[in-house]
Amino acid sequence: DAKTTQPPSMDCAEGRAANLPCNHSTISGNEYVYWYRQIHSQGPQYIIHGLKNNETNEMASLIITEDRKPSTLILPHATLRDTAVYYCIVRDPTSGTYKYIFGTGTRLKVLA
Amino acid sequence: DAGVTQSPTHLIKTRGQQVTLRCSPKSGHDTVSWYQQALGQGPQFIFQYYEEEERQRGNFPDRFSGHQFPNYSSELNVNALLLGDSALYLCASSLAGAGGPSETQYFGPGTRLLVL
């Protein structure tokens, strides 16, 4: 599975959009991009995933560029409850490798 | 829709003891993965169980073992506890399939283990 690179920390003002980048320059064609977040040592919470197209759900949007090397998770209107560590993971679910490889993630702090 | 549940929430053990942690998967899921998360680190994959067998294992010693029951619930056993085993132990469930949304892993709240 491809490795991911994320900035260690980011701040965002409450009510503004939070844009969290992830670099996965060695991503292969069958690898999905997954985003999770972990709030204060609770279990990681699934946010969104995508393969080639941009995706949106009730929590966030995932922007994947045409070459798929970077992606961006967008929280459109950040609240204080969005303060968490955000993990970007790439994985090919058809590869026979079932584990998720977590990095150290991005610690997002939403400021009042 | 019941999510992933884990028990106990917290546990304190002494070096050399043995511990068993339990996990019930999300309703409709048949696969359980276990992760260890040390303080300040991302979760590390221990192993995954499917059809009551260990399907894949991470880089953990055989002091770490598991089991999956016919109802898909799972246990993680750790023998001969070391101080370094102190961590948050996470269970994640998923539905085995051809990929896409069915492979997404959903995590439980974790069991915090402290070894003294």
Side-chain angles (χ1 to χ4, degrees):
Chain A
D1 293 323
K3 289 186 177 179
T4 61
T5 304
Q6 298 178 254
S9 64
M10 294 180 63
D11 291 342
C12 176
E14 188 177 21
R16 306 297 289 263
N19 298 296
L20 293 96
C22 181
N23 186 280
H24 28 76
S25 57
T26 60
I27 192 169
S28 66
N30 295 326
E31 287 182 311
Y32 283 73
V33 179
Y34 296 80
W35 282 85
Y36 285 78
R37 72 180 182 185
Q38 189 169 27
I39 298 173
H40 193 52
S41 291
Q42 298 175 20
Q45 178 188 22
Y46 166 76
I47 301 173
I48 199 167
H49 74 279
L51 182 61
K52 296 180 181 178
N53 301 316
N54 297 340
E55 301 287 344
T56 296
N57 63 19
E58 65 278 3
M59 289 182 68
S61 295
L62 174 59
I63 307 300
I64 302 176
T65 63
E66 190 170 343
D67 67 4
R68 304 183 67 236
K69 292 183 178 181
S71 64
T72 302
L73 179 75
I74 300 174
L75 308 178
H77 305 287
T79 71
L80 298 178
R81 287 178 295 179
D82 293 322
T83 293
V85 178
Y86 287 76
Y87 294 100
C88 166
I89 300 164
V90 293
R91 180 179 163 265
D92 177 1
T94 66
S95 67
T97 297
Y98 304 104
K99 61 183 177 182
Y100 283 7
I101 300 174
F102 288 80
T104 51
T106 295
R107 186 171 297 276
L108 174 70
K109 183 183 289 186
V110 180
L111 306 172
Chain B
D1 182 17
V4 180
T5 59
Q6 293 186 243
S7 63
T9 56
H10 294 81
L11 205 52
I12 300 175
K13 290 287 187 179
T14 307
R15 266 186 312 173
Q17 286 189 311
Q18 178 264 343
V19 68
T20 297
L21 310 181
R22 295 175 177 82
C23 171
S24 291
K26 183 178 166 69
S27 178
H29 284 182
D30 59 6
T31 303
V32 172
S33 303
W34 287 92
Y35 291 79
Q36 180 196 65
Q37 186 174 23
L39 205 59
Q41 304 294 317
Q44 300 272 312
F45 177 79
I46 303 175
F47 43 53
Q48 184 181 86
Y49 275 83
Y50 171 65
E51 292 189 336
E52 301 181 45
E53 291 193 357
E54 184 183 290
R55 181 157 77 165
Q56 186 173 28
R57 188 178 184 91
N59 189 25
F60 279 81
D62 57 11
R63 298 187 297 111
F64 290 77
S65 63
H67 189 77
Q68 186 179 34
F69 298 94
N71 68 353
Y72 309 120
S73 68
S74 177
E75 289 181 349
L76 165 66
N77 300 293
V78 187
N79 294 323
L81 285 167
L82 304 173
L83 297 180
D85 295 331
S86 295
L88 180 68
Y89 287 85
L90 296 160
C91 167
S93 75
S94 55
L95 178 64
S102 64
E103 289 285 347
T104 302
Q105 294 185 13
Y106 292 86
F107 286 80
T111 293
R112 187 162 296 283
L113 172 66
L114 178 62
V115 182
L116 301 177

